[in-house]
Amino acid sequence: MAGTEIDAVRDLLAASPRSSNLAERRERLDGFGAHYPVPHDVTVVPVDAGGVAAEWTVSPEADPARVVLFLHGGGYVSGSLNSHRHMMAETGRAAGARTLALDYRLAPEHPFPAALDDALAGYSFLLDSGVSPGNIVLSGESAGGGLALATALSLRDAGLPLPRCLWLTSPWVDLEMTGDSMDTKAAVDPLIQREYLTELAEAYCAGKNAATPLISPLHADLGGLPPMLIQVGSAETLLDDSLRLAGVAASADVAVTLQVWPHMIHAWHMFYPQLAEGRQSLASAGAFIRAHLGDGAAVRHPTIGA
């Protein structure tokens, strides 16, 4: 059954090949999201989050005090509120929290650090709105996963309150593409290949060194970050990004949970309405989030030398 479902998703992707035109690429990703309606019991509310266009999704199960701040995927050049709205609706239901998705600025029009600045503005918006940092989950998919990690690093280095935990799905944390899975998984990954990612990295970096830790957080010191859940599919060229990130986090004494989902492809969560593993992975993320949103106390980066 599972094989049939993931094969159907592969067929859906094959029926809509990626264009070389940037506008058409963006429309393609938004179209995948539009394929799935938002459940009728979920409320969607646009909001200006510190100067960044954003969107609340609220299910009946949501505790209004708890928020999942989400940064979408799309290689820093595509993706939007439209592409992941349905996924955010299910995420909030599973986590028992409101979700706030940010429509951060995209490259090549707005290269690094524009997306990071927007993510930090969105986080500050939550704090300014009275949300306890201990009730915030910082999350992201693919490029959004790398961006979420860069956001947490920036908060830590600034001595600001950190979110309670991180949820990263197939995070892109090595924009140099040095992982072995770039080649070993190329034949089974229907979405992203080295050549395409190289193009995206060049657009985002705009001449800056791709190894810069806030661009490729795999190279960062992760010490002091909150617990993180990393979810990745075994059929992804980005598999090694997650495997290596888990090791770097563990070496820095960060509590890390790594889940490798067999046969799953990049961004499989997006296809949860027709994919059992999509629903299961969101339920697992929801359980992780619920387990960590306890008393809501703020987490701060320890003073060096203290």
Side-chain angles (χ1 to χ4, degrees), residues 172-240:
W172 189 21
V173 293
D174 175 19
L175 273 66
E176 294 181 301
M177 279 75 73
T178 61
D180 290 343
S181 59
M182 277 291 143
D183 300 313
T184 61
K185 294 295 181 178
V188 294
D189 190 325
L191 267 177
I192 49 177
Q193 306 292 324
R194 181 188 297 277
E195 182 179 2
Y196 175 59
L197 288 175
T198 298
E199 177 186 342
L200 302 184
E202 290 175 351
Y204 184 60
C205 294
K208 293 183 176 63
N209 188 348
T212 301
L214 291 181
I215 292 176
S216 293
L218 185 66
H219 301 303
D221 171 11
L222 304 184
L225 291 190
M228 65 178 69
L229 168 65
I230 305 171
Q231 295 181 315
V232 65
S234 69
E236 296 196 50
T237 56
L238 287 182
L239 173 61
D240 274 356

Side-chain angles (χ1 to χ4, degrees), residues 41-292:
D41 62 344
V42 172
T43 301
V44 179
V45 181
V47 65
D48 181 327
V52 182
E55 194 171 81
W56 289 107
T57 57
V58 185
S59 71
E61 294 85 353
D63 179 341
R66 298 180 171 188
V67 177
V68 177
L69 179 61
F70 180 74
L71 304 169
H72 63 75
Y76 294 110
V77 304
S78 59
S80 70
L81 300 176
N82 295 328
S83 60
H84 288 74
R85 183 177 292 118
H86 68 293
M87 178 179 155
M88 285 300 90
E90 185 63 19
T91 294
R93 194 187 305 278
R98 295 186 292 164
T99 67
L100 181 67
L102 297 183
D103 201 15
Y104 59 85
R105 288 171 291 171
L106 300 176
E109 299 95 331
H110 305 284
F112 175 84
L116 178 57
D117 290 342
D118 287 354
L120 290 168
Y123 187 83
S124 295
F125 164 77
L126 290 178
L127 299 183
D128 293 342
S129 299
V131 180
S132 166
N135 277 336
I136 299 174
V137 179
L138 184 54
S139 66
E141 175 198 80
S142 190
L147 181 57
L149 190 54
T151 302
L153 290 167
S154 297
L155 293 170
R156 180 203 64 186
D157 292 347
L160 296 172
L162 295 177
R164 173 60 70 186
C165 60
L166 302 174
W167 168 44
L168 313 174
T169 68
S170 306
W172 189 21
V173 293
D174 175 19
L175 273 66
E176 294 181 301
M177 279 75 73
T178 61
D180 290 343
S181 59
M182 277 291 143
D183 300 313
T184 61
K185 294 295 181 178
V188 294
D189 190 325
L191 267 177
I192 49 177
Q193 306 292 324
R194 181 188 297 277
E195 182 179 2
Y196 175 59
L197 288 175
T198 298
E199 177 186 342
L200 302 184
E202 290 175 351
Y204 184 60
C205 294
K208 293 183 176 63
N209 188 348
T212 301
L214 291 181
I215 292 176
S216 293
L218 185 66
H219 301 303
D221 171 11
L222 304 184
L225 291 190
M228 65 178 69
L229 168 65
I230 305 171
Q231 295 181 315
V232 65
S234 69
E236 296 196 50
T237 56
L238 287 182
L239 173 61
D240 274 356
D241 280 42
S242 288
L243 300 183
R244 291 180 294 163
L245 177 61
V248 171
S251 294
D253 299 315
V254 175
V256 57
T257 301
L258 172 66
Q259 296 180 351
V260 180
W261 289 75
H263 311 297
M264 290 300 101
I265 64 175
H266 193 63
W268 82 94
H269 299 72
M270 285 184 62
F271 304 98
Y272 80 86
Q274 67 183 88
L275 185 63
E277 286 87 348
R279 296 188 292 276
Q280 292 161 6
S281 59
L282 288 175
S284 180
F288 174 86
I289 291 169
R290 287 175 183 266
H292 284 84

